[in-house]
Amino acid sequence: MAEDIIAVADLTGEQAAAELARLAAEISRHDALYHGKDRPEISDADYDALKRRNDAIEARFPALVRADSPSRRVGAAPLATFAPIVHARPMLSLDNTFSDEDVADFVASVYRFLGRLPDNSIAFTAEPKIDGLSMSIRYEAGRLTTAATRGDGTTGENVTANILTIKDIPRQLPAGAPDVVEVRGEVYMAKSDFLALNAQMEAEGKQTYVNPRNTASGSLRQLDPKVTASRNLKFFAYAWGEMSTIPADTQFGMVKVFREWGFPVNPLMKCLHSTEEILAHYREIGLMRADLDYDIDGVVYKVDRLDLQERLGFRSRSPRWATAHKFPAEQAFTTVENIEIQVGRTGALTPVARLEPITVGGVVVTNATLHNADYIRGIGNSGERIRPDDHDIRIGDTVIVQRAGDVIPQVLDIVPEKRPNGALPYVFPKTCPVCGSHAVRELNEKTGKLDSVTRCTGGFVCSAQAKEHIKHFVSRNAFDIEGLGTKQVDFFFENEDPAIQIRTAPDIFTLQRRQESSSLTKLENIEGFGRVSVRKLFDAIDARRQIALHRLIFALGIRHVGETTAKLLARSYGSYSAFAEGMKAAAPMHGDAWNELNAIDGIGEVVAASIIEFFKEPRNMTVVERLLQEVTPLDAEAPTTSGSPVAGKTVVFTGSLEKFTRDEAKARAESLGAKVAGSVSKKTDYVVAGPGAGSKLDKARELGVTVMDEDEWLALISG
Ligand code: IVH
């Protein structure tokens, strides 16, 4: 492993040749693992780092480039594909809680949202969180019609043929079941079946599987249902999607109905009333965990009454009425072989510890994030010491690594007795390792403290930032271009051929024209592509020439503008031109346009200022203009609340409300397609004023905005 630590700049020719041979073999091994179905050993980021090191060595020693170099290969054997299914109701995820206090907060937040005193009157269900794959199974007129994976929550994969092989899942519901039923739950592989399968693989001299979850996923995502059938997958039902009638009025009652219909349901589910009871059940399940024949990673709590669930509603991705209480993370000891720096889309320099591979909770971990310079030194975000005895992290240290769920592994602490002699404190780079620009820690104006993040100041000249931006642009919640994954973006970005290179987002959309008009290299002649995959790629790109406004806004990669903010902006401005004009008009950071931006509930000053900065930068505008010659942003969809009397209206709540809490009123208005603003302007349609309303009410009167009380509002929305 000694070569690992040698910086590229310090390699001798001989070392470089050896290292290139090692990298070619290792990258090719990871390619095989990745494409050999759900068995990658390293993260995409690690894979990229290997490729980067290979490229850097080749750049320094061009004569040593090997015929089998990974830089000459691109693309992937196409994965098995399934037809997409749009979920009739989105499949959401759950918020996570980790401590007893988090759970108490969750319970308190439910009472608070509903405007009730925390008197233990609300029942919660508590059941194991199964570590499998969530599935939505649809029945029409009693017959199983389709089964879909969760996918991105909106669209999943049609795996009906494979689901039909699972004995646990009824094909037919009993007479009397509603006409449309969507039962949701978890497909999993029993631990005993997993061990038996691995024993068989070993006996046959084949490679073994990593864990039951990945194996279940791989077994389901097989084009040949016979393979799925041979794996004995199982199922627990715990939720539902579309239902023509709801057969019970509690969570517990629903699960009981599922059991009556023939679905397996988890026997450890209980209905409880207080935080204390809930935590006791959590501990009980924790004690049973090792003896259960299926992997679980926590306990899920849900408000039992469905009418309360409905009132509590959803945040952008998860329900307010449920949470997942995760079991503590698993830990292990290993050594830090090196510390490397990754440069992200916004220029953040993130140090990553390369670790001697170690299994933590059944998964091989080879690297862990070190967050930032302070974290390495043992200092937290507020300047506090985060490790005993001021421990810092050095190359060569033996460390405790923790992995919690899907979270990136962390280095918690070091073992001081095992520190090698002569290990020196890590010196954080002062320049960007990719473009060489200065790397700085910005001063946070509000706190007067240095930001914990060190950022490359290269901006547009930094190829790492530009490349990461393209990865963000094509990612699932942005343009979602199939066939342009991490590896392909690396290839297109680094290729020097003008008929191939993609350096900015608009280049994606000119690729086909450049390919057709140029006599230079044809993609289909490059190893790893081929005609079919090139055709598919062009089709996937063309399919995004029309794009939802919020996806476009998110794809721009404006700092602080995540998916939720992008949706807020899209809904508030409606069209790209209105948005862009609004942002330009808001540039002076005062006046109507600025106020309008800040009035959007959920957008604060930091976010607003960041959007304005983005629009002020001419280079951003040049790229956006080129992009808009290629793609057409679709106006924000009118909210899917046809018939709602308040769809598209802007509402301000002020004063105290009596029938709802403020949060509930806001959530309800938004679910009916209204926009809830924090301040009154000419664009406000309604001001709902309760007792004690002050300046907002005055302003509404001054502007002639319709003012109503809570009852009038209720009458309006229920009419
Ligand atoms: S309830 C609206 N109950 O956890 C949320 N989810 O982190 C409906 N999961 O995607 C989900 N066991 O795949 C629920 N007993 C359980 C669960 C469970 C496992 C999974 C599910 C979900 C993920 C959320």
Side-chain angles (χ1 to χ4, degrees), residues 590-660:
H590 56 77
D592 283 354
W594 172 251
N595 292 342
E596 192 188 331
L597 175 59
N598 279 278
I600 301 173
D601 216 24
I603 293 194
E605 259 191 42
V606 173
V607 181
S610 166
I611 307 171
I612 301 301
E613 279 305 310
F614 180 91
F615 276 85
K616 271 208 266 196
E617 169 57 55
R619 281 177 290 196
N620 287 336
M621 291 304 98
T622 312
V623 174
V624 172
E625 275 154 29
R626 281 183 54 219
L627 181 65
L628 290 174
Q629 283 167 13
E630 303 293 334
V631 306
T632 312
L634 302 171
D635 290 352
E637 288 160 34
T640 52
T641 39
S642 53
S644 159
V646 296
K649 304 284 189 203
T650 302
V651 190
V652 173
F653 292 99
T654 181
S656 56
L657 303 177
E658 280 155 6
K659 304 227 161 77
F660 299 107

Side-chain angles (χ1 to χ4, degrees), residues 6 117 242 246 321 351 413 432 436 512 528 574 625 668 672 679:
I6 304 176
L117 287 173
E242 190 183 348
I246 307 263
W321 44 263
D413 198 4
C432 171
Q512 183 170 4
E625 275 154 29
R668 173 82 84 93
L672 291 167
S679 60

Side-chain angles (χ1 to χ4, degrees), residues 382-500:
S382 328
E384 77 282 15
R385 288 274 157 195
I386 51 174
R387 289 184 211 107
D389 299 329
D390 290 358
H391 292 159
D392 66 338
I393 298 169
R394 303 183 184 184
I395 295 171
D397 269 340
T398 294
V399 290
I400 307 172
V401 175
Q402 167 169 303
R403 198 184 69 91
D406 294 335
V407 185
I408 309 168
Q410 314 250 351
V411 170
L412 293 185
D413 198 4
I414 61 143
V415 183
E417 302 77 40
K418 295 207 168 171
R419 174 165 283 173
N421 287 332
L424 295 175
Y426 179 72
V427 181
F428 206 88
K430 299 207 164 34
T431 55
C432 171
V434 175
C435 72
S437 301
H438 279 296
V440 296
R441 293 177 63 165
E442 288 159 15
L443 195 67
N444 184 320
E445 284 171 23
K446 280 206 179 122
T447 60
K449 285 193 196 138
L450 278 184
D451 223 14
S452 53
V453 178
T454 307
R455 251 174 239 285
C456 160
T457 54
F460 290 87
V461 308
C462 180
S463 63
Q465 291 188 43
K467 191 157 85 173
E468 292 309 311
H469 178 258
I470 294 180
K471 289 179 188 168
H472 166 77
F473 186 90
V474 300
S475 66
R476 205 184 236 191
N477 296 327
F479 269 66
D480 188 22
I481 299 180
E482 209 172 309
L484 271 186
T486 307
K487 293 176 200 172
Q488 289 80 5
V489 172
D490 286 341
F491 164 79
F492 283 111
F493 191 89
E494 272 142 31
N495 198 294
E496 299 289 335
D497 190 327
I500 293 178

Side-chain angles (χ1 to χ4, degrees), residues 270-281:
K270 267 193 179 178
C271 200
L272 305 161
H273 281 84
S274 66
T275 306
E276 293 68 40
E277 284 174 2
I278 288 173
L279 290 174
H281 192 46

Side-chain angles (χ1 to χ4, degrees), residues 96-110:
N96 289 328
T97 40
F98 294 97
S99 65
D100 291 3
E101 293 77 57
D102 287 351
V103 175
D105 284 350
F106 163 70
V107 171
S109 74
V110 166

Side-chain angles (χ1 to χ4, degrees), residues 64-120:
L64 297 180
V65 176
R66 303 166 58 92
D68 66 348
S69 165
S71 63
R72 297 190 168 191
R73 291 195 299 266
V74 70
L79 279 176
T81 47
F82 295 92
I85 284 196
V86 176
H87 298 300
R89 282 202 191 184
M91 287 182 82
L92 297 154
S93 55
L94 293 170
D95 248 17
N96 289 328
T97 40
F98 294 97
S99 65
D100 291 3
E101 293 77 57
D102 287 351
V103 175
D105 284 350
F106 163 70
V107 171
S109 74
V110 166
Y111 281 93
R112 202 177 327 114
F113 188 93
L114 296 171
R116 286 166 57 159
L117 287 173
D119 56 0
N120 292 344

Side-chain angles (χ1 to χ4, degrees), residues 113 183 195 198 546 673:
F113 188 93
V183 174
L195 293 174
N198 262 356
Q546 297 206 323

Side-chain angles (χ1 to χ4, degrees), residues 6-12 15 53 56-57 60-61:
I6 304 176
V8 173
D10 300 335
L11 287 169
T12 64
Q15 285 168 328
R53 184 164 169 86
I57 300 174
R60 235 194 107 207
F61 298 95

